Amino acid sequence: YGFINTCLKSLVVEKYGEETWEKLRLQAGVQDSFLTFEVYKDEITMQLVDKACKILGVPADMVLREFGEYFFEFCKRSGYDHMLRTLGGNLYEFIENLDALHSYLSLSYQAKNIEVLVMFVFPQEMNAPSFRVEKNEDGSMHLHYYSDRRGLCHIVPGIIGAAALDFFNIEISMEIVNQTEEEEEERTGKKEHIVFLVTQTPVFSYKERNAFSSSPQYLADSEKKIENPPNKEDLEKAKNTTNGRGNSVCPVKKSHWKTIRGIITLGKGKLLRGFDPVYPKSLWIDTKTFCNGLPFHMVFDKELRVKQAGVSIQKIVPGLQTMDICLDHYFSIVHPEVPFTISSIQKFINSQFVFQTRREMMPESWKQRPMLELRGQMIWMEPLQCMLYLCSPLLRTLHELEERQMHIADIAPHDVTRDLILLNQQRLAEMELSNQLERKKEELRILSKHLEEEKKKTEALLYAMLPQHVANQLKEGKRVEAGDFKECTILFSDVVTFTNICAQCEPIQIVLMLNSMYLRFDRLTTVHDVYKVETIGDAYMVVGGVPVPVPTHAERVANFALGMIIAAKGVQNPVSGNPIQIRVGIHTGPVLAGVVGEKMPRYCLFGDTVNIASRMESHGVPSKIHLSSSAYQCLKYKNFEMAERGEIEVKGKGKMHTYFLIRNKTATENEIMGRP
């Protein structure tokens, strides 16, 4: 389910950052987000784990363990906290009831042949792992972990360790003592069987340790410990009483007096009396009432011969009315996946067992319906050497009830299965609604992302036409006031013999030539941070120091002009096949700048500076950069090589002293062109 992949994403983002997740996601080839109740392929999760190991440079066992610890916290934040806390009063009971939790969750998560990575959300129909725990004489435990997925066992210590510390305030160590493929006598049908040795130590806070060690009672007990040691018989009694009350079953180092204090009622100083149940001398219920009151139960002996069955199960499986028939002829074990023998059942007696009817043994009327599944617990009756299977129909929804042509009345009134079917029907409807909302949310997120991308494209296009601050003012509906710039540098350029070229070429050839040239020039405006004002035909106009005033405006435009001469050599004349030639003119002076028009508004420059810059270009020389005297003065001490042209007659301006820009003394061609 997407719940697991979402958790993995949350772990990576929280601990390693959004960029690491994006890199991991792209390498794994998966989407950015996952729907909680959507089913995803196992390969997606396995790919994410594999790529995480490579990107983070961490071994798989450490990644899985860290994931296990984080997943426990993720489950708590997702609302499973209360459910997990109520599984057991100690670690043994907690682990012992994990399979029961999986079975319960199968009512909500319904999917076939998909396994999620971690335990707490393993529905039974999702091919969940199975857990079996054994107490050892020294108080430690052996935890048996069975799974259809190889290589995921290192998640178990992460989750169990986090749960033990959070719920029971103990630290545990888990060591793999055996790892085999399931081909032994107790084969479960799982591909991997891992045995962990689990030991634990209590965790005390600094405050608790100080308070306890400095208490008068502790000091007095410490002094008396050597003088009056407790006798062996008292200690044995205390130990037995403690174990009988279901305290922690893993080894915990305790002093003798601490063990005794642990079984004293706080504030009263009296020994706690253990609970002893009272049983009647004979069973006050007749056989008929028992079979009617528990309509779904079966009793069978070591040879699996049926000795007793409830009335409802007899009605569905008429063969059970014949006593001493073999149970495995009519049922198969779905969970746990163990052989149908009394010894295998006894080994997993703490697990919930799911039986399924065999189609070939059912009446004709049942053969076209889905098979009935029963879920319940096994109880071994030692005096009778028989096994009691207390069960209920495994039904999740009213639809499943109708498919089997059963009714609520077929289930005993005391059986909570009746309530679960009705409650789960409502929950499934809520889940479907939640799923739809989650899908809509994801669709909106994707649309929002696409909208943001389109917005960026639109803004990029707008900023290419107008200065950014001007464009932002226009978007906000504000009026853009004209700006007066005391000093800036303007450049004009055109193509030599452009009119002749147009006369001898097809229009498309002219378009291609100009486009090739302007693409090169546009890139250079970014390299040297100058503003492109406009292009008219073959004329190209840029300015430095407008719309943002900068003291280096003349140097920027000069370097841009040098780049233009070099770039033009890469553009071919469609008539001659030779590189085109351009004229460039530069002038420095004051201008007035503002936005003109409402439709296709343009940011235009006004003033005599524009005219003089244009005259520098029109009176220029092919493949040369023509400078006015004011532009020359700005570049005079800026590491540029320039040559004097002398006085020339300029149309509308009379005689003017001008110069040619030759090169930049300190910058290389690659630097001028912005090449790496």
Side-chain angles (χ1 to χ4, degrees):
Y1 278 102
F3 184 81
I4 301 301
N5 295 331
T6 300
C7 172
L8 189 53
K9 174 186 175 180
S10 179
L11 168 63
V12 174
V13 170
E14 191 173 306
K15 295 205 171 184
Y16 303 101
E18 192 77 47
E19 290 181 3
T20 304
W21 163 252
E22 191 63 21
K23 184 178 178 182
L24 171 60
R25 179 185 75 80
L26 292 174
Q27 287 195 18
V30 302
Q31 63 264 49
D32 183 49
S33 58
F34 305 91
L35 300 179
T36 302
F37 298 108
E38 191 77 20
V39 177
Y40 297 90
K41 291 181 179 179
D42 293 342
E43 288 77 9
I44 292 177
T45 309
M46 301 305 290
Q47 267 293 95
L48 287 171
V49 172
D50 179 58
K51 296 300 179 185
C53 295
K54 293 177 181 176
I55 291 173
L56 301 176
V58 180
D61 57 336
M62 289 182 63
V63 170
L64 292 173
R65 187 182 184 104
E66 184 177 6
F67 180 48
E69 292 170 354
Y70 185 83
F71 185 78
F72 172 75
E73 293 300 325
F74 191 77
C75 285
K76 285 173 59 182
R77 294 203 301 263
S78 300
Y80 289 93
D81 181 29
H82 192 65
M83 183 188 296
L84 294 172
R85 284 184 185 276
T86 57
L87 282 184
N90 55 52
L91 189 59
Y92 175 82
E93 293 174 354
F94 177 83
I95 298 172
E96 195 177 41
N97 284 281
L98 277 178
D99 281 10
L101 177 62
H102 302 160
S103 181
Y104 163 74
L105 289 175
S106 67
L107 296 175
S108 298
Y109 291 80
Q110 300 183 53
K112 296 287 185 182
N113 302 321
I114 302 290
E115 180 178 11
V116 213
L117 270 180
V118 241
M119 288 113 51
F120 295 143
V121 291
F122 271 128
Q124 178 220 336
E125 289 198 346
M126 293 177 69
N127 201 8
S130 185
F131 301 90
R132 180 164 62 88
V133 63
E134 297 172 342
K135 298 179 186 178
N136 300 323
E137 290 183 2
D138 63 353
S140 63
M141 292 186 294
H142 275 116
L143 171 61
H144 296 258
Y145 165 76
Y146 304 89
S147 176
D148 255 352
R149 304 299 192 271
R150 292 189 180 94
L152 300 181
C153 61
H154 297 289
I155 294 175
V156 180
I159 296 187
I160 297 295
L165 187 61
D166 191 283
F167 293 160
F168 311 112
N169 203 34
I170 55 175
E171 287 182 348
I172 64 167
S173 64
M174 292 182 66
E175 176 189 352
I176 296 177
V177 294
N178 193 19
Q179 184 169 354
T180 59
E181 291 193 0
E182 250 342 283
E183 294 176 351
E184 51 197 33
E185 185 182 346
E186 65 169 6
R187 186 176 61 81
T188 63
K190 301 292 184 183
K191 294 177 181 177
E192 190 172 60
H193 173 203
I194 309 291
V195 183
F196 294 95
L197 175 64
V198 185
T199 56
Q200 70 177 8
T201 52
V203 177
F204 292 106
S205 68
Y206 179 78
K207 188 175 180 181
E208 288 172 332
R209 283 199 302 272
N210 284 351
F212 179 70
S213 60
S214 61
S215 65
Q217 182 65 39
Y218 172 80
L219 297 172
D221 287 343
S222 300
E223 291 172 4
K224 292 177 184 177
K225 184 175 178 182
I226 300 175
E227 297 174 13
N228 301 309
N231 62 56
K232 194 171 182 181
E233 187 179 343
D234 289 341
L235 287 174
E236 206 57 47
K237 262 186 202 175
K239 200 187 253 185
N240 290 339
T241 309
T242 306
N243 287 340
R245 287 191 52 75
N247 287 344
S248 180
V249 298
C250 293
V252 179
K253 294 181 180 179
K254 294 183 180 180
S255 70
H256 300 311
W257 289 107
K258 188 175 178 183
T259 304
I260 293 173
R261 279 196 300 274
I263 59 172
I264 302 295
T265 305
L266 293 174
K268 295 184 180 179
K270 295 180 182 179
L271 289 176
L272 294 172
R273 302 174 69 181
F275 170 73
D276 294 320
V278 177
Y279 299 102
K281 292 181 180 179
S282 60
L283 193 61
W284 285 86
I285 184 171
D286 62 275
T287 306
K288 186 176 179 181
T289 302
F290 189 88
C291 290
N292 280 296
L294 297 172
F296 289 94
H297 83 277
M298 290 180 284
V299 177
F300 53 94
D301 61 15
K302 287 183 175 181
E303 284 73 38
L304 304 180
R305 290 194 299 267
V306 177
K307 300 297 182 182
Q308 184 177 310
V311 293
S312 291
I313 200 167
Q314 290 181 38
K315 178 181 174 184
I316 296 168
V317 188
L320 295 180
Q321 293 182 309
T322 307
M323 293 300 110
D324 285 340
I325 62 155
C326 284
L327 187 64
D328 57 342
H329 291 174
Y330 287 85
F331 292 93
S332 58
I333 299 179
V334 176
H335 180 82
E337 296 179 46
V338 295
F340 210 141
T341 62
I342 202 73
S343 60
S344 296
I345 293 173
Q346 284 176 326
K347 284 184 179 179
F348 287 84
I349 199 163
N350 290 322
S351 299
Q352 284 197 339
F353 277 77
V354 178
F355 282 9
Q356 186 181 63
T357 53
R358 293 185 182 276
R359 190 173 296 276
E360 64 273 13
M361 301 301 290
M362 294 296 286
E364 285 297 326
S365 59
W366 263 89
K367 288 189 177 178
Q368 301 305 317
R369 308 178 202 168
M371 289 297 97
L372 177 67
E373 290 185 346
L374 302 172
R375 180 182 61 186
Q377 72 173 117
M378 296 288 183
I379 302 174
W380 176 247
M381 299 181 289
E382 186 65 32
L384 300 177
Q385 291 291 292
C386 286
M387 189 72 75
L388 170 62
Y389 182 39
L390 287 172
C391 57
S392 301
L394 181 54
L395 299 168
R396 299 172 183 81
T397 63
L398 294 172
H399 177 67
E400 291 184 4
L401 190 74
E402 291 170 345
E403 279 185 326
R404 289 155 182 81
Q405 295 185 15
M406 294 176 63
H407 303 86
I408 293 289
D410 294 325
I411 305 170
H414 63 78
D415 193 337
V416 294
T417 303
R418 297 163 66 117
D419 300 321
L420 283 175
I421 291 172
L422 297 172
L423 286 171
N424 201 49
Q425 186 71 25
Q426 180 183 354
R427 172 160 169 69
L428 289 174
E430 291 172 354
M431 279 176 58
E432 180 58 30
L433 180 60
S434 173
N435 215 6
Q436 289 178 12
L437 289 173
E438 204 169 353
R439 283 197 184 94
K440 291 295 180 187
K441 180 182 175 183
E442 179 63 13
E443 288 173 8
L444 286 173
R445 189 191 69 81
I446 294 171
L447 285 173
S448 177
K449 186 178 178 181
H450 289 164
L451 182 61
E452 189 64 30
E453 290 172 357
E454 293 303 319
K455 182 183 175 185
K456 286 179 180 177
K457 291 178 185 177
T458 304
E459 287 180 345
L461 184 61
L462 184 60
Y463 295 155
M465 298 170 63
L466 295 167
Q468 186 170 339
H469 74 282
V470 172
N472 289 337
Q473 284 181 291
L474 289 174
K475 282 196 300 182
E476 294 169 7
K478 296 178 181 177
R479 183 180 174 184
V480 181
E481 298 293 337
D484 189 14
F485 295 87
K486 299 298 182 184
E487 188 176 75
C488 68
T489 299
I490 297 175
L491 174 149
F492 278 94
S493 76
D494 73 345
V495 177
V496 178
T497 67
F498 181 70
T499 306
N500 295 335
I501 294 172
C502 291
Q504 300 176 50
C505 292
E506 294 293 328
I508 188 62
Q509 291 177 293
I510 303 301
V511 171
L512 292 174
M513 180 191 76
L514 290 177
N515 186 56
S516 175
M517 181 177 69
Y518 288 161
L519 285 175
R520 288 169 166 80
F521 292 174
D522 289 347
R523 193 184 70 82
L524 288 172
T525 61
T526 305
V527 172
H528 299 289
D529 197 16
V530 293
Y531 180 69
K532 175 184 175 182
V533 180
E534 63 182 351
T535 58
I536 302 173
D538 65 324
Y540 195 92
M541 178 184 179
V542 299
V543 62
V546 177
V548 180
V550 288
T552 58
H553 54 85
E555 296 98 295
R556 294 185 185 191
V557 173
N559 285 321
F560 174 77
L562 292 169
M564 291 178 82
I565 298 296
I566 298 169
K569 294 176 182 177
V571 181
Q572 192 177 43
N573 184 327
V575 177
S576 65
N578 298 322
I580 63 169
Q581 289 184 307
I582 61 171
R583 284 187 297 261
V584 179
I586 298 175
H587 176 62
T588 299
V591 296
L592 186 72
V595 177
V596 178
E598 289 185 353
K599 288 187 177 181
M600 293 187 67
R602 300 297 301 171
Y603 188 70
C604 297
L605 306 182
F606 302 94
D608 196 44
T609 301
V610 179
N611 296 329
I612 295 174
S614 178
R615 294 289 183 268
M616 290 297 103
E617 173 264 312
S618 60
H619 290 74
V621 178
S623 298
K624 294 281 188 178
I625 302 168
H626 196 197
L627 302 177
S628 69
S629 58
S630 61
Y632 170 79
Q633 291 300 324
C634 287
L635 298 173
K636 191 174 181 180
Y637 303 106
K638 304 294 184 180
N639 295 314
F640 287 94
E641 182 182 336
M642 293 173 285
E644 185 177 357
R645 184 181 184 184
E647 281 192 353
I648 62 169
E649 186 71 28
V650 177
K651 184 181 178 182
K653 296 296 177 183
K655 294 186 181 292
M656 292 185 70
H657 207 83
T658 61
Y659 302 81
F660 288 123
L661 175 63
I662 308 300
R663 66 185 181 93
N664 186 317
K665 296 177 183 179
T666 58
T668 65
E669 182 175 312
N670 284 339
E671 288 173 333
I672 293 291
M673 298 303 293
R675 299 176 189 140

